[in-house]
Amino acid sequence: MSADPRLRRITVFCGASSGCRPVHLRAAAEFGRAVAEAGLELVYGGARVGLMGAVADAALRGGATVTGVIPRHLARHEIRHTGLTRLLVVEDMHQRKARMAELGDAFVALPGGLGTAEEFFETLTWAQIGLHDKPCALLDTDGFYQPLLVFLAHAAAEGFVSRRDVDGIVVCERPGDLLPRLAARARSGWSVCSDGDAV
């Protein structure tokens, strides 16, 4: 998988919280290990806490290159990870999202809150309007993203989202299944919205 030049770095969006159930921390760590075992690089939000810290620490232990991107105001609050391969401190959240999008060859949302959802939806929107053709995926640990998928199906049924774009999201329950699916999607390309489709 690492020999494919289309998939070298995985950008991960996830919570700076650990959540209420240990299953989410375990899944984040398992995904970090999978990234390292595949010989890929990890790009994420740069924090040492919550699911962010779990995925980064597991990838680092596996020998992966891990790049964190963190806004200056958060870096000052001592939540930044000090053991990363590289930590990029940017001016604000907008620069953070732009840099993470630039660095990643694919985007994965692990469980998280408002920030995770906002980051993931922005990458979906960019794909929808043709700004990139990078695969986007949800790690649906223990059904975490099922309510979101119900919303997207409803939005498609109401004509506000293209069904093709919803179907283009890679959804996996197990961390170990996600990278092969992303590699397959990277080879086939993201089918973006064309003129006349819902946006």
Side-chain angles (χ1 to χ4, degrees):
M1 186 183 306
S2 60
D4 189 339
R6 288 163 294 199
L7 195 67
R8 297 169 297 155
R9 298 188 191 97
I10 307 296
T11 289
V12 171
F13 308 123
C14 60
S17 170
S18 299
C20 297
R21 294 184 294 147
V23 65
H24 296 308
L25 275 176
R26 289 196 299 268
E30 186 177 342
F31 185 69
R33 286 193 298 272
V35 169
E37 289 169 2
L40 301 174
E41 299 181 25
L42 179 75
V43 178
Y44 85 115
R48 59 174 172 76
V49 295
L51 268 62
M52 282 194 191
V55 70
D57 287 341
L60 288 166
R61 284 193 297 269
T65 295
V66 178
T67 298
V69 185
I70 193 167
R72 193 172 303 281
H73 74 280
L74 292 180
R76 287 196 298 263
H77 292 171
E78 297 185 354
I79 65 165
R80 67 188 183 279
H81 199 306
T82 57
L84 302 176
T85 312
R86 180 170 59 154
L87 180 65
L88 305 178
V89 179
V90 296
E91 289 304 316
D92 54 38
M93 296 292 285
H94 299 292
Q95 288 187 13
R96 178 200 225 178
K97 290 185 293 182
R99 193 74 173 110
M100 291 174 73
E102 176 188 346
L103 290 171
D105 299 313
F107 305 103
V108 175
L110 309 185
L114 295 177
T116 300
E118 189 266 342
E119 290 165 335
F120 187 70
F121 269 107
E122 186 164 69
T123 62
L124 288 179
T125 302
W126 290 349
Q128 187 185 43
I129 63 176
L131 295 181
H132 73 78
D133 60 355
K134 302 172 183 181
C136 300
L138 294 169
L139 180 58
D140 189 30
T141 306
D142 206 24
F144 180 84
Y145 279 116
Q146 287 304 305
L148 178 62
L149 295 169
V150 169
F151 161 73
L152 290 173
H154 175 66
E158 292 286 336
F160 291 105
V161 180
S162 165
R163 182 74 247 183
R164 182 183 61 199
D165 291 326
V166 174
D167 291 341
I169 302 169
V170 175
V171 182
C172 288
E173 295 180 11
R174 295 190 297 268
D177 295 339
L178 197 46
L179 292 177
R181 292 274 307 279
L182 282 174
R185 182 56 53 83
R187 288 191 295 271
S188 64
W190 177 276
S191 182
V192 297
C193 194
S194 60
D195 289 345
D197 282 336
V199 174

